[in-house]
Amino acid sequence: MSRAETNKSSHLHTVRGTDEKIPSLRRMLETLDVRYGHSDHLDVSSLPFACGDATAGSEAELQTVIVGKKQDVDLPLTIEQSNYFADILRRAAAGDTRKRVITELENYLTSNTEAVWENSWVRFPRRLLSSLTEEVFQRDLLADKEDPSQGNRSDLQKFLFKREGQDYVRIPVSYLLKLSLAEAVGSSPNPPPAMIRETARDLTGHFLNDNTSPETFSFHIISPTDRHGVGQAVAQEMAKRFLLTQLLTMYANERFRLLQNGQEAMVFYSPHPPLRQKKLNDCISDAFYRELFMSPCLSGWQRGEAKYDYMHLCHRVLSRSQLNATAKLREAGIITKNLVTLPNTSNISLANNGTHVSMGSRRLGEVLKGQNSGFTKIHEKYLGDLVVKITEHFLPLFVGTYTAAPYRLDFKDFHPEKALAFLPHELDYTHLRMLWRRWQKKANLKIFGRPLTPFGPLWLDRTISVLCGLHGDFIPDFRIIDYLVALMSTERSPALDGKLHNSDRLKKDLADLGVFDTKMSLYLFEKMRELETMGFSGFEARHYSLFEQFSGDMGRAVDIQNLLYCLAYKYLATGRISHTQIPDRPFVESERRQVIFGTAIGIPTFFIREDTDNEMIKMIVTRTEKVRHSRRYPGYLRVHNLEYRRALLKILQKDAADLIEMFQMEETIQELALRLEAPDRFAALGRLTGGILKEAGVSSPLQMPAEDFNLAAERYYRQHLRRRHSEEALDFLTADLVALGEGLGRAAHATRQALRFVLKEEGISAFLARLRRNICEGKAPETDLQKLIYLVLISVHDDRRRACQTMEASHGESSNVASIC
């Protein structure tokens, strides 16, 4: 649709497939109070997500381990004492099952040289809980927290047991964090000020006991008042949340005598499922895997068992879905023989860890709440789906540049039914075949010029690998490949066509195909968040893996995310892009998403149809250098991935020039160019890989076996990166507390009292400097940890107070963070 056509389109038109009449894009944007000046010049400051309009929040998934001897740690003890283990031993002795099964399980239990047990629970005497913590614990054991008359959960025995006459508590680390926070304020003989107690009480609900990994979400809605965007504010909030998580973990180690009893809990960022957990998953049943690793959802939900059942459903569905993907590979012609290595009936991808960043528009929210605005959820959905489609084209700019998940695959791992994971459910067969061929070429899986994949028997594949020098491949962002991140639409049920409830119709189709379940939330790279459902109108970015830095990586990525949403609305307001120009067919959807997956794998080229009717991708390819006609695929253009991303950057610099100036993001855009041109120095992938290689003592990922590289990555995340993140978070906390201390006036009497209670006569900077090394190394005295937890709570209280004042002063909105995350 041309701009002239947009200006003339004042009539109503019908949303495809419905009887709903909605205004033209121009009319809808005018309803949002988007302003057009002289000669229809767009006032970009009036667009949704412009300066001062965006709110934000984040949700982080973390990795947890327990370090300790086998006889002291819950996970190996639970396995050895389980009926499952006893049954396997009995069946192996009777010859009813392969002895290899029990050998592999025993090897998992006995060959742990580092004494690191991923996602293990902890156990400690119940008498160590203070009265406040005991009260929190008892409430979370209720079947329905809103109706105590229903009594306790039916699975109470999982969390309580007796040992040598003592009552013991057994809980996952994700729930340990909540109890640790309650204990920090409830165990002191001299109770902390009300500010600290109330803030701690409010924050306990932000530590979720969900899925396998600990999850935390923003302590408040982030809505900065300056002109520098939301990125830095989002990054600092997440850093402070991470620091509090570290302190609570260390405090629990001391307070609940975990260290004394041979259990050291550690929490850190790590993007992919642990290697040893994968090995364990290969030698146990899916039901036993869920028993060991699915968190019981004690915290975060009124009826925890219902949520726990939902997580079991997710695991069963994804496990079945990967099995069904194998059949699709046969249909696509990638598997041409009956000989395959079946994926495990228990899929481990739910143990991956990423970060979700949600952003809302105040303007959208206000207009939707207005009774006479004429802007309804129908229009919200129509515009929102189009914004998602536009934004997806730019996502290759994020992969490897701002986040990454470096990973190695050996030659033996290149069974297509395993390596391609969920991609058969995410890409059209044509793009899937192209991607697989290019991936094989990148990994140099050839002998005498002919492509070769593993045969199946490990001894044979290892022999071929050694004799033929087949080293496998290095993957920049394995999380995006190993997880179901973006389900492809069906022909009759597009996910992003602008119609209400389209995701429900798609889920029904996918459920019928054995791919998904209607009870689950639809997986997409970018997900629209409707006001009616979420309490805010905006979008959730779900494509972020691991940030190497909070400020430098996450802060800048969120600013670019905000810029893209604003640019998408600018395209809509100026008539550059409409739904018809990005058709809602599965092939077109797959055409744009193949670039994201290819970037995650590190494939240098991809192919676009010459006659594609996706005007958005056509515009990008037109500005891309070194494009040529494909010799292998007639009717297709061969596009270099790096040149495509350079073209995306050029489009930002040109089409979003006024937005970049408005947001004062010139430096961010220049820095993005450096990440593209010199990734080893400036991109997150280069820095993360460099740290892993230093940990491993080699100069290239391909110089070592995949298992050694991936274990080195886990050590790097657990030790060095955890320390780096802690140091950066401490810098933020120090700056905030010093500014808070220097700015105290009469209005901050409660804050002044709280700081005096914690520090007595010691200065803020001196106190933090004294503890810095111990905190970064993961060990500090219990009393000092408690004080530092209080300081973080004081800082968070001030952040929440200022955020609430900003929201109320600007638009009278509540500061309830649940509405943004």
Side-chain angles (χ1 to χ4, degrees):
M1 183 184 294
S2 69
R3 179 171 177 177
E5 290 172 326
T6 304
N7 295 340
K8 294 176 183 177
S9 297
S10 60
H11 59 280
L12 299 177
H13 63 274
T14 303
V15 183
R16 287 165 294 155
T18 74
D19 294 327
E20 300 289 354
K21 301 290 185 179
I22 65 171
S24 66
L25 289 175
R26 172 68 176 259
R27 287 281 298 277
M28 278 188 278
L29 271 296
E30 287 176 340
T31 306
L32 285 173
D33 199 27
V34 172
R35 296 185 293 273
Y36 297 84
H38 182 66
S39 300
D40 273 349
H41 178 72
L42 176 66
D43 179 2
V44 295
S45 68
S46 66
L47 289 169
F49 296 96
C51 274
D53 184 56
T55 56
S58 67
E59 178 182 323
E61 300 165 337
L62 301 107
Q63 178 62 49
T64 179
V65 302
I66 302 298
V67 181
K69 297 179 181 178
K70 179 169 71 77
Q71 62 269 25
D72 297 323
V73 178
D74 181 82
L75 179 60
L77 288 173
T78 299
I79 293 173
E80 289 183 329
Q81 296 166 9
S82 68
N83 291 337
Y84 178 85
F85 189 64
D87 288 342
I88 291 294
L89 283 175
R90 178 185 56 78
R91 291 167 59 193
D96 293 336
T97 190
R98 294 178 305 153
K99 289 189 177 181
R100 180 179 174 183
V101 175
I102 193 64
T103 301
E104 291 174 344
L105 192 49
E106 288 178 332
N107 185 58
Y108 171 83
L109 294 169
T110 57
S111 65
N112 192 347
T113 56
E114 292 186 313
V116 173
W117 305 91
E118 296 84 1
N119 291 310
S120 174
W121 291 21
V122 296
R123 45 178 69 187
F124 58 88
R126 188 171 185 176
R127 61 179 172 79
L128 296 176
L129 299 179
S130 68
S131 58
L132 174 62
T133 311
E134 178 68 32
E135 181 183 333
V136 171
F137 185 43
Q138 288 184 5
R139 184 172 186 273
D140 286 333
L141 291 177
L142 293 174
D144 188 336
K145 298 180 179 66
E146 293 180 341
D147 184 9
S149 66
Q150 293 189 25
N152 290 325
R153 294 169 53 131
S154 63
D155 57 355
L156 193 67
Q157 75 282 356
K158 288 183 180 179
F159 318 113
L160 300 172
F161 69 97
K162 282 189 177 292
R163 176 182 172 187
E164 298 177 351
Q166 281 195 76
D167 289 331
Y168 269 72
V169 172
R170 176 180 176 269
I171 52 175
V173 175
S174 53
Y175 184 64
L176 177 73
L177 297 172
K178 179 178 180 177
L179 293 191
S180 181
L181 180 54
E183 186 72 16
V185 296
S187 63
S188 176
N190 185 15
M195 170 195 292
I196 294 175
R197 297 197 310 271
E198 292 169 3
T199 303
R201 180 198 63 201
D202 291 343
L203 299 191
T204 54
H206 293 257
F207 292 89
L208 299 182
N209 176 216
D210 181 17
N211 199 354
T212 299
S213 306
E215 295 184 13
T216 65
F217 65 93
S218 290
F219 292 152
H220 61 89
I221 292 178
I222 295 159
S223 181
T225 57
D226 59 38
R227 288 172 52 83
H228 298 291
V230 297
Q232 189 71 8
V234 170
Q236 290 193 18
E237 189 280 331
M238 185 162 144
K240 203 174 293 184
R241 192 167 11 115
F242 175 78
L243 177 60
L244 181 58
T245 301
Q246 294 300 300
L247 298 174
L248 294 175
T249 306
M250 288 184 275
Y251 182 74
N253 283 333
E254 298 289 342
R255 180 68 186 175
F256 298 137
R257 308 294 183 261
L258 297 179
L259 283 173
Q260 184 177 317
N261 290 294
Q263 308 166 77
E264 181 184 5
M266 300 175 69
V267 180
F268 51 95
Y269 291 111
S270 179
H272 51 73
L275 192 64
R276 276 179 46 81
Q277 189 171 327
K278 282 190 173 184
K279 289 185 175 182
L280 177 61
N281 182 58
D282 286 339
C283 57
I284 61 176
S285 69
D286 59 336
F288 192 48
Y289 175 87
R290 289 191 290 272
E291 182 180 333
L292 292 175
F293 295 114
M294 289 289 104
S295 290
C297 306
L298 288 165
S299 176
W301 296 271
Q302 295 302 323
R303 292 173 292 279
E305 281 187 279
K307 178 66 175 178
Y308 179 54
D309 291 340
Y310 172 78
M311 296 315 305
H312 275 236
L313 170 71
C314 292
H315 183 257
R316 289 194 299 269
V317 169
L318 291 180
S319 300
R320 180 192 65 193
S321 185
Q322 187 171 6
L323 287 173
N324 288 339
T326 301
K328 283 191 170 184
L329 290 173
R330 174 110 186 222
E331 293 172 13
I334 291 175
I335 294 177
T336 57
K337 300 178 181 178
N338 289 328
L339 181 64
V340 297
T341 300
L342 283 176
N344 198 299
T345 54
S346 172
N347 185 272
I348 198 175
S349 66
L350 280 171
N352 87 84
N353 302 306
T355 298
H356 301 172
V357 178
S358 295
M359 301 191 76
S361 164
R362 289 167 164 168
R363 178 172 284 106
L364 286 171
E366 289 173 354
V367 174
L368 283 164
K369 291 174 184 176
Q371 294 182 352
N372 300 316
S373 68
F375 191 86
T376 69
K377 61 183 181 182
I378 297 171
H379 310 127
E380 177 194 28
K381 178 66 173 172
Y382 190 81
L383 294 178
D385 279 357
L386 183 49
V387 169
V388 169
K389 289 195 291 188
I390 293 171
T391 304
E392 279 191 353
H393 290 81
F394 289 91
L395 295 188
L397 285 175
F398 293 91
V399 180
T401 51
Y402 294 110
T403 65
Y407 202 77
R408 274 276 282 114
L409 293 179
D410 273 330
F411 169 71
K412 65 181 177 61
D413 300 315
F414 269 91
H415 298 277
E417 58 272 21
K418 287 191 173 183
L420 291 173
F422 294 101
L423 286 172
H425 301 320
E426 299 171 301
L427 291 175
D428 178 88
Y429 288 165
T430 299
H431 299 129
L432 188 64
R433 288 191 294 268
M434 292 174 172
L435 180 142
W436 179 237
R437 190 188 67 81
R438 298 301 291 170
W439 192 356
Q440 289 178 292
K441 182 176 181 180
K442 170 182 178 270
N444 197 26
L445 301 181
K446 288 186 177 182
I447 296 181
F448 304 120
R450 296 181 62 85
L452 180 72
T453 53
F455 293 91
L458 284 178
W459 67 267
L460 178 59
D461 291 337
R462 286 169 178 161
T463 302
I464 293 173
S465 174
V466 172
L467 293 178
C468 302
L470 301 175
H471 301 296
D473 197 19
F474 171 68
I475 316 300
D477 198 331
F478 188 62
R479 175 184 164 272
I480 287 180
I481 303 303
D482 195 44
Y483 186 56
L484 186 55
V485 291
L487 283 158
M488 187 170 63
S489 296
T490 61
E491 291 289 348
R492 290 193 171 189
S493 300
L496 299 169
D497 62 352
K499 294 188 291 187
L500 289 177
H501 312 303
N502 51 14
S503 62
D504 293 335
R505 290 186 288 272
L506 174 58
K507 286 191 293 183
K508 174 64 169 61
D509 281 3
L510 295 175
D512 291 342
L513 294 169
V515 175
F516 211 58
D517 192 278
T518 56
K519 298 184 185 69
M520 296 170 65
S521 177
L522 190 66
Y523 294 172
L524 293 172
F525 285 118
E526 287 278 346
K527 199 167 185 179
M528 185 185 168
R529 304 315 240 165
E530 294 96 337
L531 178 74
E532 186 176 72
T533 304
M534 301 300 298
F536 73 99
S537 182
F539 307 93
E540 180 187 36
R542 302 166 58 90
H543 51 82
Y544 296 120
S545 294
L546 176 62
F547 294 103
E548 199 259 347
Q549 300 172 0
F550 290 113
S551 180
D553 289 331
M554 184 181 189
R556 292 187 184 276
V558 173
D559 281 339
I560 295 290
Q561 180 183 339
N562 188 20
L563 176 68
L564 289 177
Y565 295 155
C566 198
L567 174 61
Y569 274 101
K570 179 184 175 182
Y571 282 151
L572 271 57
T574 55
R576 289 280 300 276
I577 300 293
S578 67
H579 269 293
T580 57
Q581 292 173 306
I582 308 178
D584 292 292
R585 298 194 309 278
F587 185 89
V588 176
E589 196 174 76
S590 173
E591 188 174 49
R592 66 177 181 266
R593 290 178 182 170
Q594 64 162 331
V595 191
I596 309 170
F597 291 118
T599 307
I601 296 171
I603 296 173
T605 57
F606 59 91
F607 302 90
I608 299 293
R609 283 193 63 88
E610 290 184 69
D611 61 351
T612 179
D613 49 358
N614 180 348
E615 296 298 326
M616 183 78 192
I617 206 167
K618 188 182 295 184
M619 175 188 73
I620 299 169
V621 171
T622 299
R623 303 188 188 187
T624 303
E625 302 290 337
K626 301 180 182 178
V627 175
R628 68 166 175 81
H629 294 281
S630 171
R631 290 187 289 268
R632 178 178 290 271
Y633 304 111
Y636 282 85
L637 298 173
R638 182 174 182 266
V639 184
H640 284 270
N641 185 290
L642 177 58
E643 295 297 338
Y644 181 88
R645 288 187 288 162
R646 285 171 174 163
L648 290 175
L649 180 58
K650 292 175 187 176
I651 289 171
L652 283 181
Q653 291 170 326
K654 181 180 179 182
D655 294 358
D658 47 359
L659 304 179
I660 292 169
E661 181 180 2
M662 176 180 66
F663 287 119
Q664 296 185 355
M665 285 179 57
E666 291 85 356
E667 182 183 343
T668 299
I669 297 299
Q670 293 172 4
E671 199 258 1
L672 173 55
L674 291 175
R675 290 174 186 256
L676 293 177
E677 300 305 327
D680 289 346
R681 290 181 56 195
F682 297 103
L685 173 63
R687 285 180 269 115
L688 287 171
T689 305
I692 296 167
L693 293 177
K694 185 176 180 180
E695 169 70 27
V698 296
S699 58
S700 168
L702 296 178
Q703 288 181 346
M704 59 195 307
E707 181 173 327
D708 294 345
F709 177 89
N710 296 331
L711 287 174
E714 292 177 15
R715 288 195 304 273
Y716 172 71
Y717 301 148
R718 185 170 66 243
Q719 299 169 4
H720 303 291
L721 190 61
R722 179 171 62 93
R723 179 185 181 110
R724 179 185 178 89
H725 284 153
S726 296
E727 289 176 342
E728 187 177 0
L730 278 168
D731 289 340
F732 290 143
L733 178 67
T734 302
D736 286 352
L737 287 175
V738 168
L740 185 61
E742 292 175 349
L744 294 179
R746 290 186 178 180
H749 178 68
T751 303
R752 184 164 58 248
Q753 280 189 322
L755 286 172
R756 187 179 299 118
F757 171 85
V758 177
L759 297 170
K760 303 299 189 275
E761 301 302 321
E762 190 171 7
I764 294 172
S765 298
F767 176 79
L768 293 174
R770 177 168 62 83
L771 290 180
R772 186 182 185 92
R773 181 174 179 179
N774 288 340
I775 296 303
C776 293
E777 290 179 352
K779 294 180 176 63
E782 180 183 324
T783 54
D784 285 339
L785 287 169
Q786 190 177 43
K787 289 180 179 180
L788 194 46
I789 289 170
Y790 290 169
L791 288 180
V792 175
L793 292 175
I794 292 170
S795 177
V796 170
H797 171 83
D798 184 67
D799 292 341
R800 288 160 64 92
R801 176 186 60 80
R802 287 186 288 107
C804 185
Q805 289 177 348
T806 299
M807 299 289 279
E808 290 176 351
S810 300
H811 297 275
E813 296 181 26
S814 166
S815 61
N816 179 9
V817 75
S819 67
I820 188 69
C821 285

